[in-house]
Amino acid sequence: MGDNFDALIGALPMVGEGVWITVQLTIGGALLALVIAVALGLLARFKNVVLRGIARVIIEFFRGTSLVVQLFWFFFVMPQLGIELPAMFVGILALGLNYGAYGAEVVRGSINNVPSGQWEATTALSMSSTQRMWRIIFPQAWALMIPSLTNLLIQLLKGTAIVSFITLTDLTYATDKLRNSTDTFFAYGVSLLIYFLIAYVLTLIMNALEVQAKHKLGRGESLREALSFRTPRSADGKAGIS
Amino acid sequence: MPSQTDTEPAIRFDNVEKRFGDNVVLHDLNFSVAKGDRVTLIGPSGSGKTTILRLVMTLEEANGGYIYVDGEPLTHEERGGKRVELKEKHKNEVRKRIGMVFQQFNLFPNMTVMENLIEAPVHVLKMSKADAIEKAKGLLEKVGLSDKADAHPLELSGGQQQRVAVARALAMDPEILLLDEVTSALDPEIVGEVLNILRDVANETDITMLIVTHEMQFARDVSNRVLMFDGGKIVEESDPETMFTSPKEQRTRDFLSAVLGNN
Ligand SMILES: Nc1ncnc2c1ncn2[C@@H]1O[C@H](COP(=O)(O)OP(=O)(O)OP(=O)(O)O)[C@@H](O)[C@H]1O
Ligand SMILES: [Mg+2]
């Protein structure tokens, strides 16, 4: 066992770099996914059939094809078409498109779940459709969508593990290397723990965002009051805080 | 645009037809509401009262006929014998003259009371924020909620929320105010606080009001005309005194005795 720890300490820089790449992919992928999710989610609600159709095709395409295939396609096929892209860029792009497509459904669903009375009140106040969306509907939908977005974010984190296929030396890659100098059980144990810690931190951040979003809607305590350990809450917005 | 002369009614329904699927809710409905009128719509459940208000607020779209506000077509107009839908921009201009208070209040929970009141004046009417706040303060005082400006809607009681909703509608200076059973969601003991504010509004302004209510005393106090609906048609129409004391139609008598009996 002592050998394992010695090996781990020796491998720390490599593991650290792996963690850093995984974190970069996760954050970059998540931010891109969020932008894509909101854009496609809004587009999918348009009355215009063409715009709505475009959104649907993109959403179904990226949900329906696997992340690995998309990754390979961007990294190995695109260069043959003359488009060479850096591995990190491809990783973030594929994660962003894939999870953005899933996120689009979450965004669309949450917007549709804002009570019709809220939409009607904006009409009664003659608000334009842009004002309606950004000032009234989206802030309320945001609170509804966070729990599902948290799930997607954790899945995205786990999804980053396949990028070693495209030469990125992420945490999973580092784990594999670590296996050479430690026993397999130990290496995967360390890996498991680090993934779990990252996921846990992400969950805490998302929970904080959700508490804040709900507090803004006048439901539940403020973030300051809520700073205590808690389990992720369900999407209906009722459980958890009272 | 046609001039808004005082001779034009505030609201005019011209052969309006409204269907939900196969269900014809309003068929060739004609009536008008003069400027400054306070008209109460009564009638059994499903007779189309809410639908009429929602048509005026453009929350529903008619399937036939025309609705005019101050003589201007609201959503559709007749052009060369055809019924043509008007542009969103036009609809929104006409819509600005109309305000509505809902049964379920529908305040914006992501904003404080003050923000609810200034949102549309600032972003729709392009009023300066300082002016809008000034005005909102006056309205909050009027509805007796000056101390709740920074509260969130969900921290207020139903009666307080509805008073804020009335203030929010008035903040837009509507020419027409639509009230759809605004006290039905409230506990009986707080119905009065909302109705009293609406009585004040009726007494102190010349806003045209179209009211749906089961509060017959309130209807008597504020309205000058009552329309009795059944099956999407006007069964009887008169001043409140006549309607509530000596209705001519049997259907009105049946309806009133059922409503008053339940009270
Ligand atoms: N969105 C809708 N979809 C389908 N049918 C509807 C819809 N809204 C109203 N209706 C139907 O239209 C008819 C008139 O409804 P409306 O709500 O206008 O009645 P009302 O006079 O306001 O009744 P109440 O006193 O119960 O409020 C009813 O038959 C109702 O079922
Ligand atoms: Mg109704």
Side-chain angles (χ1 to χ4, degrees), chain B residues 20 23 25 44-51 60 181 214:
Chain B
F20 291 105
N23 181 9
V25 176
S45 181
S47 57
K49 308 177 298 289
T50 294
T51 303
E60 301 286 354
E181 298 197 32
H214 292 305

Side-chain angles (χ1 to χ4, degrees), chain B residues 1 5 13 34 42 65 80 103-104 106 112 117 120 156 177 180 184 208-209 216 221 245 256:
Chain B
M1 268 186 199
T5 56
F13 273 53
I42 61 170
Q103 196 175 333
Q104 298 296 339
N106 297 345
T112 64
L117 294 194
L156 304 182
L177 188 60
D180 188 11
S184 310
T208 305
M209 293 183 172
M216 295 304 160
D221 292 348
T245 55
L256 285 175

Side-chain angles (χ1 to χ4, degrees), chain A residues 147 207 210-211 214 219-221 225-226 228-242:
Chain A
N207 282 350
E210 192 192 353
V211 168
K214 283 196 174 151
R219 296 202 312 258
E221 66 238 300
E225 294 158 346
S228 57
F229 283 89
R230 57 183 60 250
T231 48
R233 269 155 274 115
S234 60
D236 65 11
K238 292 194 188 81
I241 36 179
S242 50

